[in-house]
């Protein structure tokens, strides 16, 4: 048994197992493979941590089928050659199961991006964040040990209004790592910029650090770790930081909004921390105008394609464009935010996914960066 | 002999062979390597299927040189260390051979993107598509088993006019997989959106399904499989869906047009299904205005660089931009379409290629996503 | 001992060493790993060449710790499990060392992008370039054998004014490869376009070729090898070609400028040929307007994020946009150039880095595509 675990510079991490010869299995997103590997390798690393890293993994053709699990991608009736050895009906059944699970709603542990209500003292909006390791379920059965703000992935949504004085009190409850927060896109005084040894000392385990600044530039921004960030952001230390404009007339009119935080590290390809079918659908009523705030906290581009209806792109990184333009596929790069308006002119369940198809569908069905806009 | 075959999440698939030690061969696009591998590994998978997957493959330095093949990249005089052991003259000869083959025209099996003439019944334009497995030659000697619409890769071009009622009758002649068609970018009623178990049942092998809708939004769109799509689109089930505007005054004026469908799965890096030198040159006359419709059906970005002449970008995903802008390198992400105008103001053979150089050239010469604009 | 050396199609090159079992080391940018590998593998390839290729490499857990080196990422006190086995203090110390080295200034061999003064004959601006192999230090202790123009990586900056007649005399002093120069983005007559066997014969070792043209289209352009270009550009044959407009009124006003040439081949992730902490800081005074010219000569996108201050994007590939727009993260694709203005309204040291975090930071500290804008 030879194991090779390596990390590509785009931070995708791969596990490859080569056992005997010849091994010629198509490695795909398949829990059969994952579990076979985990069992065979007697890893001391927990399955949860691994599943967050494991994107593509192959199994030996000589491995016996493994026991059922609760993972929606684990189709225990499937032979190790899943994807190659299926009949059309078998494959369709797996696809249908995923869609049904999504429509029915998948219960998973942990919900991110929940609004955080500030405490107000002398006019200052005070938000408290605690960094800690928290079990988090990416999709049914796929538990990961996340690094979280207040137990959430993504961290709680911080929302203020232009001109507000904002105080963010950060406590580091991680056991073994310092941290710091960078308010990505927010124009802060330099000493509030969150870069250890450049603008502040790192926040050691057990310590608390207070950021304070006036929210100057409205728009869709982010906050995330800026220390060992490839790992810390990758494992969950990220969230939305939204500054509402004082004068809303500068933005297009909209009736409701959704924030979609894209990621590709913890637990694979996710929207707001969850992989399909555990992703939440966006809902709207016919005739409504929906604002979507895209934020990419991952390491790869994600060209998000909404079926059926165009997206009016009107802001980049929180700055309104001089002239909005329409598209149906918006390429969101790491660190970018894009704001769009969808005019909900047609009822139905509209698929909505990353158009790097490998981020969205395998032979076993849709997974990862897939959700839907449901217009009623 | 240890073989490791794996698939990265961007869907690029790699074959690695490790035999004895030390193996320290630069793995590159080289048929010597491919064939050595295929021979050494006694694979039961056909060469055609593999060549569609094989992007980078290495050979042991202890392998004997292999027999000549017809592949333009197979330089049988080359030692296994090709790229490292070549003289400048040897390398130049290989580069020259590729250019000469391109200029001379490479005959390959299969041509995609051919206009499909509709049958018209009671004012409805009826297009018939049959999904089937078809041998397809990506470049000379590189045969793949493609999944095709009507035997073509890309599938036949469907072109209608804004306001047309369009009927697309799809027959699934695949042996082992269901399918469905999504009209990417086209505003259709939800039940015509092509997502199995969401808007329709999958089209089982042997079944026929009929899509019908009014072509509402003009522009450069696409149609492709939306079931097991990473594999089905990757293997060829994709095509251009162009809706001409009723009023052409909305578009810039142009004298001729070319559609460039980019892909990076079946047979490696391709333009309209072919890899250099089997790619077709674009031709125009001095003074003409050329419209190019870029469509990315692959899994990676492809920043397309035209030498010598700027591109005026005027539409994104079929929607005209409020203000066109100029560039020479246009980054096309998966799922995106971009329309540009090239003002052919200078005669010559202008190289035209993806500027991820590894998608376009190796030590053995240009390959993959390379073509030319020839202005006479 | 099994070695697997392979090249992904994006041209990132990886070394993997697998020795015994189980090997389960996180492979990261670590000279300990590199040197262990080099020692263990008895490679005949020089360390310098390898370090240019080696992005991620793992060591066996059974390997003994290696001797200290001068590389800023070589933390010899670190166990092989670096990143996993560190205390917070150990990790912080490594991060601090990197920042201190950057602030203090890292002396490395070789500086690129230096202005090249033309010789003027009869009104023609004559630039002489010699292609040659040159040792180059990417960051302290990381020597690579670069392919250079005039010994520089990036090659010397060529800067002319719109309307100038420009002559570039290229001598190929490479031992074993022909070459040619393409003036990327510059509108030249076809025979000056630099594509061997298409517009000119290759420039053989020892030969000289002269390019001559009138600089027609102002803006931020590039020049680079267009023969075996994946390798030649990857190893350093690239530079900035800037054409100043005759009438500067067309550009926004600015007080100073910096060119940032991004790369991801030679020596890993670099800005102007150097990796953090050897990257040069950008400096400006409070109130100044800074023009930044981004140029991507690599194989991957690099979304460049400047902390604290927005970037006004006003030109793409040298062509001014009809309407500039603001952002804080600008996604630069291979072959693209983007020009922005930063209004230096806030003093401080502002981190400035690629937001694909794996291009910028590991558990051992920041590295690669990281610099800072220092406003005084």
């Amino acid at each position: 048994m030879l194991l090779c675990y390596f990390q590509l510079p785009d931070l995708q991490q791969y596990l490859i197992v080569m056992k005997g010869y010849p091994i010629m299995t198509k490695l795909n997103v398949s829990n059969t493979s994952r579990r076979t590997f985990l069992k065979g390798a007697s890893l001391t690393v927990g399955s949860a941590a691994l599943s967050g890293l494991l994107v593509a993994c192959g199994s030996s053709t000589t491995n016996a089928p493994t026991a059922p699990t609760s993972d929606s991608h684990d189709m225990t009736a499937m032979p190790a050659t899943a994807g190659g050895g299926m009949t059309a009906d078998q494959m369709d059944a797996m696809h249908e199961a995923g869609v049904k699970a999504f429509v029915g709603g998948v219960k998973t542990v942990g919900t991110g991006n929940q609004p955080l209500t500030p405490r107000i003292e002398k006019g200052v909006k005070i938000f408290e964040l605690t960094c800690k390791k928290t079990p988090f379920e990416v999709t049914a059965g796929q538990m990961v040990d996340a690094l979280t703000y207040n137990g959430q992935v993504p961290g709680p949504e911080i929302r203020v209004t232009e001109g507000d004085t904002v105080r963010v009190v950060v406590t580091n409850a991680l056991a073994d790592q310092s941290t710091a927060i960078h308010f990505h896109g927010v124009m802060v005084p330099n000493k509030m910029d969150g870069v250890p040894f450049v603008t502040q000392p790192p926040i050691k385990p057990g310590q608390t650090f207070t950021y304070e600044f006036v929210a100057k530039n409205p728009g869709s921004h982010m906050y995330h770790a800026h220390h060992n960030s490839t790992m810390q952001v990758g494992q969950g230390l990220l969230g939305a930081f939204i500054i509402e404009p004082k004068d809303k007339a500068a933005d297009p009119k909209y009736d409701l909004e959704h924030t979609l935080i894209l990621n590709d590290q913890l637990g694979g390809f996710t929207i707001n921390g969850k992989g399909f079918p555990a992703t939440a659908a966006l809902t709207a009523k016919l005739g409504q105008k929906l604002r979507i705030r895209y934020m990419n906290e991952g390491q790869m581009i994600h060209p998000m394609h909404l079926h059926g209806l165009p997206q009016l792109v009107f802001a980049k990184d929180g700055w309104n464009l001089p002239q909005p333009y329409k598209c149906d596929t918006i390429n969101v790069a790491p660190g970018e935010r894009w704001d769009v308006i969808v005019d909900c002119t047609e009822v139905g369940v509209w698929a909505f996914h990353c158009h790097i198809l490998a981020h969205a569908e395998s032979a076993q069905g849709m997974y990862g960066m897939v959700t839907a806009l449901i217009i009623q």
Side-chain angles (χ1 to χ4, degrees), chain A residues 27-367:
Chain A
L27 310 184
N28 219 319
V29 175
S30 154
N31 256 18
T32 304
S33 302
R34 285 183 198 169
R35 300 201 181 250
T36 301
F37 171 80
L38 295 177
K39 186 179 162 191
S42 305
L43 293 176
T44 55
V45 181
S47 152
L50 263 178
S51 61
L53 304 177
L54 190 58
V55 177
C57 170
S59 70
S60 161
T61 54
T62 62
N63 282 322
T66 52
T69 77
S70 60
D71 190 308
S72 64
H73 274 94
D74 188 18
M75 303 299 166
T76 56
M78 293 297 305
T81 52
M86 282 188 279
T87 64
D89 285 342
Q90 282 176 315
M91 188 188 286
D92 294 349
M94 297 169 77
H95 283 247
E96 186 172 21
V99 172
K100 279 190 172 168
F102 175 75
V103 172
V106 178
K107 295 253 187 266
T108 48
V109 175
T111 303
N113 199 33
Q114 299 302 297
L116 183 59
T117 305
R119 184 161 46 91
I120 300 182
E121 283 182 14
K122 298 181 184 171
V124 178
K125 290 187 176 171
I126 304 172
F127 299 87
E128 297 192 350
L129 296 175
T130 300
C131 312
K132 56 182 173 183
K133 192 174 282 191
T134 314
F136 186 81
E137 198 172 17
V138 175
T139 190
Q142 187 190 2
M143 292 296 304
V144 295
D145 273 338
L147 303 188
T148 70
Y149 294 117
N150 299 1
Q152 297 182 34
V153 179
E157 180 194 279
I158 297 179
R159 187 181 288 253
V160 299
T161 299
E162 184 186 356
D164 281 351
T165 298
V166 181
R167 191 178 301 154
V168 182
V169 183
V170 182
T171 299
N172 181 4
L174 299 175
D176 57 355
Q177 289 189 54
S178 299
T179 193
I181 290 184
H182 169 58
F183 298 90
H184 181 105
V186 182
M187 296 176 73
V188 298
N190 192 246
K191 65 183 177 176
M192 294 293 123
D193 193 43
V195 184
F197 304 111
V198 176
T199 66
Q200 67 169 87
I203 313 172
K204 301 267 184 192
Q207 291 185 343
T208 292
F209 188 91
T210 299
Y211 297 92
E212 185 167 323
F213 49 85
V214 175
K216 288 162 62 175
N217 57 319
S220 300
H221 305 301
M222 308 192 290
Y223 66 99
H224 55 220
H226 208 287
H227 185 65
N228 192 20
S229 59
T230 306
M231 188 273 195
Q232 290 190 5
V233 177
Q235 298 301 302
L237 290 177
L238 58 98
F241 194 103
I242 294 169
I243 305 178
E244 301 268 11
K246 249 186 199 161
D247 176 8
K248 296 210 174 190
D251 284 349
K253 285 189 181 166
Y254 56 92
D255 300 298
L256 75 170
E257 66 171 88
H258 283 284
T259 296
L260 300 184
I261 303 180
L262 313 174
N263 216 333
D264 42 43
Q265 306 302 308
L266 184 75
F269 302 105
T270 58
I271 299 173
N272 292 336
K274 302 289 177 180
F276 184 90
T279 44
L282 292 73
T283 55
K285 287 179 189 159
L286 185 66
Q288 284 188 319
K289 288 181 191 296
L290 165 66
R291 176 182 188 154
I292 299 172
R293 302 176 189 264
Y294 294 102
M295 303 181 177
N296 188 338
E297 283 281 21
Q299 306 269 340
M300 306 172 182
I301 58 157
H302 298 293
M304 295 298 295
H305 175 56
L306 174 62
H307 284 216
L309 297 166
Q311 310 182 46
L312 181 75
V313 186
F314 74 92
K316 164 89 174 83
D317 297 346
W319 300 98
N320 283 1
L321 296 172
Q323 289 203 298
Y325 62 88
K326 279 185 184 174
C327 72
D328 56 63
T329 306
I330 181 161
N331 185 24
V332 189
E336 289 188 333
R337 292 90 61 212
W338 290 95
D339 285 63
V340 307
I341 298 286
V342 175
D343 198 353
C344 298
T345 56
E346 191 86 30
V347 295
V349 179
W350 297 102
F352 193 3
H353 58 90
C354 177
H355 213 279
I356 296 180
L357 298 176
H359 298 186
E361 194 174 36
S362 74
Q364 286 79 26
M366 292 189 287
Y367 73 94

